[in-house]
Amino acid sequence: MKHVLDRILRHFIADGQLQVRWPDGSTSLYKGRNPGPSAGVVLHNQAAVRAMVINPGLGFGEAYMDSHLDPLDCTLYNLLDVLMLNAMRPGGHVAERLASALRYVRRGWIQFNPIKRAQQNVAHHYDLDNRLYSLFLDKDWQYSCAYFRHGTETLDEAQAAKKHHIAAKLLLNRPDLEVLDIGCGWGGMALTLAKDYGAIVTGITLSHEQLAFARKRATDAGLEGRVRFELLDYRNLHRRFDRIVSVGMFEHVGVGHYRQFFDVIKNALVEDGVALVHSIGRSDGPGTTNPWVNKYIFPGGYSPALSEVFAAVEPTGLWVTDCEILRLHYAKTIAIWRERFAAKRAEAVALYDERFARMFEFYLNAAELAFRVQGHMNFQLQLSRSISAVPFTRDYMAAAEKE
């Protein structure tokens, strides 16, 4: 098996270089023909070698979780940087390319998210102990891409700016507008829209942990009369709102449900209503979710290409009144999360165990690099039923952000 992996790596590493220490103690150096980052890996046993040959998309992460491999004279980030950069090259790892093709054929089933399955998928990640998320999130518990206007902001400042940026696009131009927050998380967006913009907000989630936390926050802030949180799937909505916001939830909808999602948006908006959907996307066209991420982090999740999103919006008759692409904002956000998690890693081990901590640090490192070297980004779509729901130009957004 060592000889097979040796041949694979000689073809796979085209950018930068990778040093490998084999289970027998010998080392090999794989130098690409193009300049790039350098890293090393220790393969502690044959299980790690097999993982990198047969199913690296899943097996590499599992091998790291099980301590079957470790970075060699570098950080996990450095190691993943080399591997993820080279994985983007056409050809790459033959076994992974075949596995990816098979995942694409099966992705309709993998991302099939009826209500019961959606609840199970949400619980897998979002019903983890809230103390875990407190280790690295900002004070408002924003678990989505922050907005760095200048690049020098603290995480708290950038997350506050993200909420303000989205609020500007929601055109909250009069008090008591009724706002729906689909996938409200721990309630930060809903509470901000009520407190700072005078909105009346309904937040919906499928996470029991987030629901209890958000409700307590509303009570503690004295906003129960303006904010309410419900355990509800978006497909069970039966009323209309002036505004709709959804941040970091569309990634969990599933490609087969996109048309249904935007139909719900249309039906839940008043005639002159405005919606804002904020999601992770990919710049390189339709694809599949990494199998390790699908198994351990976000089952049923997928970051779509804009071509897939617009194809689902167009038949609904909704207007896309604005689209913005945020390129490296999430990379910077996750970099801060990664550093914070590393600083409090021992607390994560105490909450769960060493294997879980290795899983979570692998997730944060790989997630950041997906935005730096694998074409991931964020998009914000502003939608309306009416051609005249928002002003002619974007000037009103800039004016609102200056307030």
Side-chain angles (χ1 to χ4, degrees):
M1 195 64 76
K2 171 183 175 181
H3 300 297
V4 176
L5 182 56
D6 176 72
R7 288 197 297 271
I8 290 172
L9 290 175
R10 291 188 188 285
H11 175 70
F12 179 75
I13 301 297
D15 299 298
Q17 64 180 34
L18 177 70
Q19 183 177 17
V20 177
R21 180 180 296 165
W22 301 96
D24 62 9
S26 63
T27 61
S28 300
L29 181 63
Y30 302 93
K31 298 185 68 172
R33 57 185 174 273
N34 304 315
S38 299
V41 61
V42 181
L43 305 177
H44 295 299
N45 51 41
Q46 290 302 317
V49 177
R50 284 195 299 273
M52 292 187 68
V53 170
I54 297 171
N55 189 5
L58 174 64
F60 186 84
E62 290 185 329
Y64 180 76
M65 289 166 61
D66 294 330
S67 299
H68 292 169
L69 63 83
D70 282 295
L72 172 64
D73 298 329
C74 67
T75 65
L76 176 61
Y77 183 92
N78 299 143
L79 175 58
L80 288 174
D81 190 14
V82 171
L83 296 177
M84 292 175 67
L85 175 63
N86 281 279
M88 292 298 290
R89 185 174 56 85
H93 194 301
V94 175
E96 175 54 26
R97 292 289 172 180
L98 290 173
S100 179
L102 289 173
R103 289 196 300 274
Y104 192 85
V105 171
R106 297 176 57 245
R107 74 180 192 147
W109 167 248
I110 294 171
Q111 295 172 42
F112 178 55
N113 279 330
I115 292 175
K116 185 175 181 180
R117 191 173 184 183
Q119 291 171 336
Q120 295 169 344
N121 289 342
V122 165
H124 179 91
H125 191 81
Y126 296 99
D127 280 345
L128 294 172
D129 194 313
N130 284 331
R131 289 175 293 177
L132 170 70
Y133 295 103
S134 72
L135 300 180
F136 62 93
L137 294 182
D138 65 298
K139 64 183 180 183
D140 194 48
W141 293 71
Q142 291 294 302
Y143 194 27
S144 58
C145 175
Y147 184 59
F148 293 88
R149 293 176 61 88
H150 307 289
T152 57
E153 295 89 343
T154 66
L155 181 61
D156 286 334
E157 290 169 342
Q159 290 291 14
K162 182 266 299 293
K163 290 181 292 179
H164 195 39
H165 191 57
I166 289 173
K169 295 183 179 186
L170 286 172
L171 189 61
L172 300 169
N173 54 1
R174 59 186 185 273
D176 297 332
L177 286 167
E178 291 197 64
V179 179
L180 171 68
D181 183 357
I182 302 177
C184 61
W186 289 279
M189 177 64 74
L191 295 171
T192 296
L193 295 180
K195 180 177 180 292
D196 296 344
Y197 297 91
I200 300 172
V201 189
T202 299
I204 63 173
T205 180
L206 293 180
S207 167
H208 291 271
E209 289 289 330
Q210 290 185 332
L211 177 68
F213 193 90
R215 283 177 169 172
K216 184 178 185 305
R217 291 184 71 188
T219 299
D220 292 345
L223 291 170
E224 309 102 301
R226 302 198 70 84
V227 181
R228 66 174 182 173
F229 296 104
E230 300 178 12
L231 194 71
L232 184 70
D233 189 282
Y234 69 94
R235 288 163 285 198
N236 287 332
L237 283 166
H238 301 293
R239 54 170 297 205
R240 288 191 167 189
F241 296 84
D242 300 301
R243 304 288 186 264
I244 298 175
V245 64
S246 182
V247 179
M249 180 271 179
F250 189 70
E251 300 91 326
H252 304 286
V253 168
V255 289
H257 304 274
Y258 287 175
R259 172 65 188 275
Q260 184 180 23
F261 178 85
F262 289 113
D263 277 337
V264 169
I265 293 284
K266 181 179 181 181
N267 293 332
L269 274 178
V270 299
E271 191 59 36
D272 63 347
V274 178
L276 191 287
V277 176
H278 169 116
S279 172
I280 299 171
R282 61 183 67 222
S283 65
D284 58 346
T288 62
T289 300
N290 171 273
W292 183 88
V293 172
N294 185 72
K295 181 176 180 178
Y296 290 99
I297 307 299
F298 297 120
Y302 173 65
S303 301
L306 282 174
S307 56
E308 297 172 291
V309 179
F310 277 82
V313 173
E314 288 167 358
T316 69
L318 282 168
W319 277 90
V320 177
T321 45
D322 191 76
C323 177
E324 181 178 9
I325 304 300
L326 305 177
R327 289 163 291 113
L328 289 170
H329 292 259
Y330 215 168
K332 190 169 180 62
T333 304
I334 301 171
I336 298 173
W337 290 348
R338 178 170 59 85
E339 292 167 0
R340 289 184 168 198
F341 181 83
K344 296 187 176 181
R345 188 182 188 281
E347 295 180 46
V349 173
L351 279 174
Y352 290 97
D353 56 28
E354 175 63 22
R355 188 173 189 267
F356 180 93
R358 288 175 75 95
M359 177 195 77
F360 215 83
E361 66 189 359
F362 190 91
Y363 151 58
L364 291 174
N365 279 269
E368 180 186 340
L369 285 162
F371 289 89
R372 295 199 185 278
V373 302
Q374 292 198 324
H376 277 50
M377 46 76 172
N378 281 82
F379 62 85
Q380 292 183 346
L381 288 188
Q382 186 193 60
L383 305 162
S384 68
R385 293 170 60 101
S386 168
I387 192 173
S388 57
V390 298
F392 280 13
T393 72
R394 305 177 85 249
D395 294 351
Y396 69 96
M397 299 181 192
E401 289 193 81
K402 289 178 181 178
E403 294 176 359

